[in-house]
Amino acid sequence: MARTIKRDNFIVFLAWEPHPMNVNFDLKYLTGGDKYFGPDYGGATIRTLTRKGYANKCPNEAKLLSNLEFGLTMENEIIGSSEKPEQAGLKPIQKF
């Protein structure tokens, strides 16, 4: 894909968010796919999940997590920030 863009050629492919391709490339999402993907370009919902009983055992951390807002731009960057999942949360996020 990167070589095609460098050659100033247009390409069309199925893309989604969150995904690092949204940070790495200047993408334009086409309209008209609601019938197939649902409203709002398929409408990604970002949720923070913890294990059962975690909120009761660690109420301060549960409150912190409930106050955090993860947007699509942030998720796009976090997903692409590291090859090792255990390192993904350690790299500072630059763009918002």
Side-chain angles (χ1 to χ4, degrees):
M1 185 160 95
R3 284 186 294 176
T4 303
I5 292 171
K6 284 181 184 178
R7 295 179 185 141
D8 288 328
N9 292 326
F10 293 102
I11 57 174
V12 177
F13 65 97
L14 183 61
W16 59 91
E17 283 192 292
H19 194 281
M21 67 183 142
N22 293 286
V23 175
N24 298 329
F25 301 102
D26 182 21
L27 302 179
K28 306 291 184 235
Y29 282 84
L30 303 176
T31 61
D34 290 359
K35 176 179 175 185
Y36 303 99
F37 304 111
D40 257 349
Y41 301 100
T45 302
I46 300 167
R47 295 188 172 105
T48 301
L49 301 174
T50 61
R51 65 177 166 78
K52 186 177 182 177
Y54 183 79
N56 289 332
K57 187 166 184 157
C58 305
N60 290 336
E61 289 182 39
K63 183 66 175 174
L64 171 68
L65 292 175
S66 71
N67 287 328
L68 290 176
E69 291 184 26
F70 294 96
L72 285 174
T73 302
M74 183 178 181
E75 287 292 320
N76 291 332
E77 290 188 16
I78 289 172
I79 291 169
S81 67
S82 175
E83 292 183 18
K84 295 181 179 180
E86 61 271 13
Q87 298 296 316
L90 301 177
K91 188 174 181 180
I93 297 169
Q94 302 298 320
K95 306 173 197 171
F96 289 107

